[in-house]
């Protein structure tokens, strides 16, 4: 029990380690003085995605439960196995974000997913699950939501000027399973894996403070300098050749059809191949400069 106007650091026992000990992950509960909704903030479902871990930590430190309406349930690290190894995956190489709502009798991924879903997620009225791009990719701060769901669409409007991308979500994703259980949920992509990015983290913190205001949980409203953009379709531009990628655009940049995005350079044969945009749009995700193969 967490009294109104108070906070508590609880423990969720995710599983057992190889040595048989418990795998304990913190669950921070901020219970406001005023009545209101229960908002769940989760991060670290992929253990190498660090920006969300810091965003959730800062929110729990900055929000005063005496000034809060409703309740925040915050879990900064869901996949403690992966976090301790700086790995996206669980020790058996499974992706935890493909196993929700899980099963008590399945693989370790299914069991962890079931435990978390039953003990944490089902107590929430809405949920924000933080992620980053994966494997040498970085994402513009963006909310990914199934905009065909009216409740999710309304929920997605609460993040200030943060870009919103319509994606139905795959089976087994935390946000998909939660939404199907009547808990409007979104994925909040912020930056790239394996590092802490101060600018992206600051954006995420401001977006959550804005969401708290929209949900009636906070009286403070952060100021944004532009309207919130919505996109209903996205496309990856892929290399048709191997070589070294040199990008010439930045995350968030608006581009026109035919505009040069970058080059793939074959240093062995001294050949340059251009990558051009097939559409008018905005760069919301991109690979970092690296060695690429056809199809990257």
């Amino acid at each position: 029990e967490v009294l109104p106007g108070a906070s508590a650091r609880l423990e969720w026992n995710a599983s057992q380690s190889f040595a048989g000990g418990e795998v304990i992950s913190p669950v921070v509960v901020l219970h406001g003085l005023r009545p209101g909704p229960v908002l769940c903030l989760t991060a670290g479902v992929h253990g190498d995605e660090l920006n969300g871990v810091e965003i959730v930590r800062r929110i729990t430190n900055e929000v005063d439960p005496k000034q809060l309406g409703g309740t925040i349930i915050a879990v900064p690290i869901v996949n403690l196995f992966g976090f301790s190894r700086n790995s996206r995956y669980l020790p058996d190489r499974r992706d935890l974000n493909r196993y929700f709502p899980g099963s008590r009798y399945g693989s370790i991924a299914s069991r962890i997913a079931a435990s978390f879903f039953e003990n944490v997620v089902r107590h929430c009225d809405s949920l924000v699950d933080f992620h980053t791009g994966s494997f040498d990719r970085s994402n513009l701060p963006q909310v990914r939501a199934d905009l065909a769901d009216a409740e999710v669409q309304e929920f997605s409007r609460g993040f200030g000027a943060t870009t919103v991308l319509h994606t139905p979500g795959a089976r087994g994703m935390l946000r998909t399973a939660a939404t199907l259980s009547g808990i409007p949920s979104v994925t909040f992509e912020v930056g790239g894996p394996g590092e802490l990015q101060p600018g992206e983290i600051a954006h995420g913190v401001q977006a959550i403070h804005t969401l708290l205001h929209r949900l009636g949980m906070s009286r403070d409203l952060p100021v944004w300098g532009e309207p919130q953009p919505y996109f209903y379709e996205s496309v990856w531009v892929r290399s048709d050749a191997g070589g070294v990628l040199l990008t010439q655009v930045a995350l968030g940049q608006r581009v026109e059809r035919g505009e040069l995005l970058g080059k793939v350079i074959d240093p062995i044969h001294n050949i340059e191949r251009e990558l051009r945009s097939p559409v008018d749009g905005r760069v919301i995700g991109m690979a970092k400069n690296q060695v690429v193969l056809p199809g990257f």
Side-chain angles (χ1 to χ4, degrees):
E1 182 180 2
V2 182
L3 297 176
S7 63
R9 185 180 179 88
L10 310 179
E11 293 182 343
W12 164 59
N13 182 15
S15 186
Q16 288 186 332
S17 68
F18 286 110
E22 295 180 332
V23 179
I24 302 296
S25 192
V27 179
V28 181
V29 178
L30 307 176
H31 189 185
L33 276 179
R34 295 179 287 114
V38 179
L39 173 65
C40 192
L41 304 176
T42 62
V45 171
H46 293 140
D48 63 343
E49 297 180 354
L50 306 181
N51 286 331
V53 175
E54 177 62 9
I55 292 168
V56 173
R57 187 192 72 86
R58 290 191 190 181
I59 290 294
T60 59
N61 287 342
E62 292 176 6
V63 172
D64 181 358
K66 292 181 174 60
Q67 304 298 321
L68 182 68
T71 304
I72 297 174
I73 299 177
V75 186
I77 306 172
V78 177
N79 180 2
L80 198 60
F81 279 111
F83 180 80
S84 64
R85 296 161 46 243
N86 192 32
S87 171
R88 177 182 178 87
Y89 301 114
L90 291 165
D92 63 353
R93 294 288 295 172
R94 284 183 169 89
D95 183 338
L96 179 59
N97 206 32
R98 293 297 183 272
Y99 285 87
F100 291 99
S103 166
R104 293 173 55 197
Y105 307 104
S107 65
I108 182 175
S110 290
R111 295 177 185 221
I112 291 174
S115 173
F116 186 71
F117 206 83
E118 293 300 321
N119 290 296
V120 179
V121 175
R122 290 199 185 278
H123 294 280
C124 302
D125 296 322
S126 57
L127 181 143
V128 181
D129 185 28
F130 284 95
H131 286 266
T132 73
S134 63
F135 302 126
D136 298 313
R137 297 198 297 269
S138 188
N139 287 329
L140 184 75
Q142 61 191 263
V143 170
R144 295 186 178 179
D146 183 1
L147 299 179
D149 184 299
E151 288 188 310
V152 173
Q153 184 182 90
E154 180 62 25
F155 184 53
S156 73
R157 298 184 186 279
F159 295 84
T162 305
T163 294
V164 177
L165 175 64
H166 168 60
T167 58
R171 180 181 178 183
M173 284 184 173
L174 176 54
R175 72 165 164 109
T176 303
T179 298
L180 289 173
S181 296
I183 304 166
S185 303
V186 299
T187 300
F188 198 153
E189 295 276 342
V190 189
E195 59 180 331
L196 292 169
Q197 299 169 292
E200 284 79 356
I201 291 168
H203 181 113
V205 170
Q206 182 174 342
I208 295 302
H209 280 299
T210 306
L211 177 65
L212 292 173
H213 181 271
R214 183 175 178 87
L215 294 175
M217 301 174 70
S218 169
R219 294 187 174 95
D220 299 325
L221 177 61
V223 177
W224 297 83
E226 58 184 24
Q228 185 178 31
Y230 275 72
F231 294 94
Y232 286 84
E233 188 175 357
S234 64
V235 59
W236 279 107
V237 178
R238 298 183 181 274
S239 173
D240 290 327
V244 179
L245 172 66
L246 288 176
T247 58
Q248 296 189 0
V249 292
L251 280 173
Q253 182 174 330
R254 289 174 171 82
V255 297
E256 297 179 352
R257 183 174 182 176
E259 185 172 340
L260 183 65
L261 302 177
K263 296 179 179 180
V264 175
I265 298 170
D266 178 349
I268 306 299
H269 301 97
N270 193 25
I271 299 173
E272 296 185 5
R273 296 179 173 89
E274 295 181 340
L275 295 172
R276 294 189 176 273
S277 176
V279 295
D280 297 330
R282 190 177 185 187
V283 181
I284 62 171
M286 60 188 292
K288 299 178 182 180
N289 287 332
Q290 59 187 289
V291 178
V292 301
L293 294 173
F296 274 36

